[in-house]
Amino acid sequence: MMIKNGTVYDPLNGIDGERMDIFVENGKIVEESKEKEVIDASGLMVMPGGVDIHSHIAGSKINIGRLLRPEDHRKDVVPRTEITRSGVGYTVPTTFVTGYRYAELGYTTVAEAAVPPIGARHVHEEFADTPMIDKMMFPLMGNNYFVLKYIEEDEFEKLKNFVAFLLNATKGYAIKMVNPGGVESWKWGKNVESLDDKVENYDVTPREVITNLAKVNEELGLPHSVHVHCNNLGAPGNFETTIETMSALRERIHITHIQFNSYAGEDWASFASGAPEVANYINKNEHVTCDVGQVVFGDATTMTADGPWQHTLYKLTGNKWVNSDVEMETGAGIVPYVFRERNLVNAIQWAIGLELFLLIEDPWRVYLTTDHPNAGPFYHYPKVISWLMSNEKRGELLAKTHKGVSKMTTLSDIDREYSLYEIAIITRAATAKALGLRDKGHLGIGADADIAIYKLEDDFERSFSRAKYVIKDGEIVVRDGKIAKGHLGRTFWVDAGGEATDEIKEIFSEYYTLNFENYPVQEEYLPRQEVISCK
Amino acid sequence: MILRPKFKAKMPIEAECISPDILAEKRIENLEVYHGNKRRKLSDLFEILDVKTKDVRIEGDVGNVKYIGAKMRSGKIIIDGNAGMHLGSEMEGGEIFVEGDAGDWVGAEMRGGLIRIKGNAGNLVGAAYRGSKVGMRQGMIIVEGDAGHEIGERMKRGIIAILGDVASFAGAHMKGGTILCFGNMGERTGAEMDRGTIIAFNPLQLLPTFHYNATYNPVFLRFCLRELRKYDLPIADEHITGRYERYNGDLTELGKGEILVWKG
Ligand SMILES: [Zn+2]
């Protein structure tokens, strides 16, 4: 296939809007192709397929969210077509709708960012039914019994082996921590409030969890850094915890949905932005990457392993709430939420997300997410792009929000606008790089032929809402913003070695509700897998 | 307009388009319905006569036809036989009259208008659809026969009057509005209600989380019942002048709801 005469944005190869031809053969980008198929991309924008570094699309908490919200599905019914299967949205869409809608936006790789290891099999089953995109998932480790035990016993090698074993058993991709230590304490109705609080019933602190797992991450040579949802998420004044977390390490660290962790103020009444401080730290420290978790006004479904925070949110909103205790491993909470323009706190949250995008100077270290569906569904990424690319667009919305926003944030003082090149960085190039996916996020020779082609219009939101063409593994799967062909994507996982020691098996048979033999996910559950080996 | 059913089978039909607004605004030959899982033309299933009149009369039994009058804003629908599920759901205005029985979800989440059923109605009359916070928000539903479970579930405003009996959980999670029952009320009436008024003209078994307040003749009720006589309800003089026991609840929730039990 030849993609002819397109305007190419390929930041990993330093290509910034050059007119070029791209050749595709056997699912890869090649130097030249003799195939006859030609896509005339004159006047169109050609980018690598989007890579989402943090989203919630499969697994137990998503499914609880789906069950909890029939009202959410009723307003977004998706009928079957000749090519696509039926389903529903809106904030917690069905697997098929998730795959289709990502593809229509030009996204071709998505990371499910929080999986209780015991629920891994379920995630892979849902992945097998999530078409179009390549997938990967991050098992939760920050409150795992074995992790806390081995840190407490100072058994670093055992910890390292356990992490490798767990990645293997779950077919996972990266180490995820959510409110490290806090979720374990929540099982006794408590939480941790600082990096140096003791985890309930353990002689371990959140700081030790983070530093030990980061060290494991580097010694195993995992492709991605540790992926951290910080302590004190959502709480006024938490930007200090965030900075403390980042500075606890010299190893790579990815802080996820950092917007929810960049708050100043002492309580809800004095709630304000801590984004300048957080951005300032990130600007000076190269070991940190982050995704934003940008708030989009409207319906959301909050879902996280951070059980104590979800309880707080339930108390704040009075909305329905599900709490889940995942035996030896983690917890979760789900609460529907509506972000409102006229609500001062919500409006400040919206502004903080944009401040972070605009104040962090290096686009290679700040990525576009809405922590789908926590701060809004991923379908709104084009809206976020329009706010980043146009000072005028975000000004229009700022004017509609609560008046206090300008006082409590610096958003109205910032006039930076993202270029298309920078948008390509924060939505594909940099996320692929941060995930260590060498064949994704660029259009160089040998890269996977995952390509998004957009028609650039005056309205940036519209331009990115429906890709003109999407090519996945070398085939046209989206045409004029609509699915043209079903496709089964790969699942990436990392083989870091690791073995189930007798100790692990013994503890398992003593305390788990299932037999050890039923725990690891067999490869049969991954109909199309690609194993990434470590450095 | 007159619609005469041409179908015999029991296959469910979904016909949101049977609504005076839609029939008046759109070209009738283009209107589609689902017959089972097949899309069909409305005219394949109904003989359509007297196209110029806005009010709709359905001559026959449409007990298998769902969503008649759903979201309607104005006009009138008269159904000579039975009506299917979701009759007048989310309707905003206008009137629906049914000679026979109606299925579940009559007037679910309705925002205005009047529905009158001569026969019995199913479950969840004027209720919220699953997951929604609010059921009926305005308007009036009269069922001359019996009604099923969970009538007025999560209703916020409006009036539901049942002349026969109702099954369990009437007014569950109610947030406002008024339910009147002239027959017998089932178990757990008003369970978890926050606000609103349930008027029982016969003794009923109350949940232990309802608290007795007083026996009196509520002034507002005299006005309310006199007004409701306009709707041809069996309101006797004794109902207007009689005494009522007042209970507030549900105390497991806000407890600002009331159940008034007529004592004669
Ligand atoms: Zn998340």
Side-chain angles (χ1 to χ4, degrees), chain A residues 231-473:
Chain A
N231 302 105
N232 289 329
L233 176 132
N238 65 9
F239 82 90
E240 288 176 14
T241 312
T242 310
I243 290 174
E244 224 183 309
T245 305
M246 296 186 285
S247 47
L249 295 179
R250 266 169 304 153
E251 291 89 351
R252 294 177 295 165
I253 183 169
H254 180 82
I255 307 289
T256 189
H257 39 71
I258 198 164
Q259 173 274 127
F260 286 117
N261 258 87
S262 300
Y263 300 158
E266 269 152 31
D267 50 28
W268 295 112
S270 59
F271 187 75
S273 170
E277 289 85 348
V278 170
N280 185 37
Y281 181 89
I282 293 176
N283 285 338
K284 287 187 183 144
N285 291 277
E286 298 250 321
H287 69 292
V288 185
T289 59
C290 66
D291 68 87
V292 169
Q294 174 63 41
V295 163
V296 179
F297 295 115
D299 280 351
T301 303
T302 68
M303 49 176 65
T304 161
D306 198 342
W309 165 247
Q310 292 300 87
H311 179 252
T312 307
L313 198 58
Y314 156 67
K315 286 287 186 192
L316 281 172
T317 60
N319 283 347
K320 44 193 173 182
W321 167 56
V322 172
N323 181 58
S324 165
D325 172 1
V326 187
E327 40 187 282
M328 309 276 283
E329 303 185 334
T330 176
I334 297 113
V335 181
Y337 195 81
V338 185
F339 288 97
R340 296 179 199 279
E341 292 166 10
R342 294 280 171 191
N343 174 303
L344 179 57
V345 169
N346 291 167
I348 293 173
Q349 289 176 302
W350 169 79
I352 289 173
L354 294 177
E355 281 182 286
L356 288 160
F357 275 120
L358 299 165
L359 294 174
I360 296 174
E361 287 153 12
D362 181 3
W364 291 95
R365 294 196 289 120
V366 56
Y367 315 137
L368 173 54
T369 65
T370 56
D371 190 16
H372 165 84
N374 280 283
F378 67 82
Y379 336 132
H380 293 306
Y381 287 176
K383 218 175 253 179
V384 182
I385 291 173
S386 75
W387 298 329
L388 295 178
M389 293 193 68
S390 160
N391 195 3
E392 192 189 324
K393 273 270 175 240
R394 63 179 182 260
E396 278 169 23
L397 187 48
L398 182 62
K400 280 195 231 162
T401 59
H402 193 289
K403 287 200 174 57
V405 177
S406 299
K407 214 163 38 178
M408 307 312 256
T409 75
T410 64
L411 185 62
S412 55
D413 306 332
I414 307 173
D415 41 19
R416 177 177 167 195
E417 289 179 341
Y418 270 62
S419 65
L420 287 165
Y421 188 69
E422 286 173 314
I423 293 295
I425 295 172
I426 65 167
T427 56
R428 45 263 287 161
T431 43
K433 189 178 166 210
L435 288 167
L437 292 167
R438 287 196 203 108
D439 298 336
K440 300 287 182 196
H442 71 102
L443 299 172
I445 308 302
D448 288 340
D450 294 354
I451 305 166
I453 303 175
Y454 302 96
K455 186 168 192 324
L456 188 60
E457 300 173 47
D458 291 344
D459 182 333
F460 294 123
E461 183 182 342
R462 189 141 30 102
S463 309
F464 284 97
S465 288
R466 293 202 170 260
K468 182 92 179 133
Y469 298 95
V470 176
I471 292 145
K472 178 82 191 79
D473 293 322

Side-chain angles (χ1 to χ4, degrees), chain A residues 68-71 74 319-320, chain B residues 109 129-133:
Chain A
L68 185 67
R69 304 211 60 188
E71 80 284 8
R74 183 155 68 102
N319 283 347
K320 44 193 173 182
Chain B
E109 297 189 10
Y129 282 115
R130 295 305 188 208
S132 296
K133 284 186 171 174

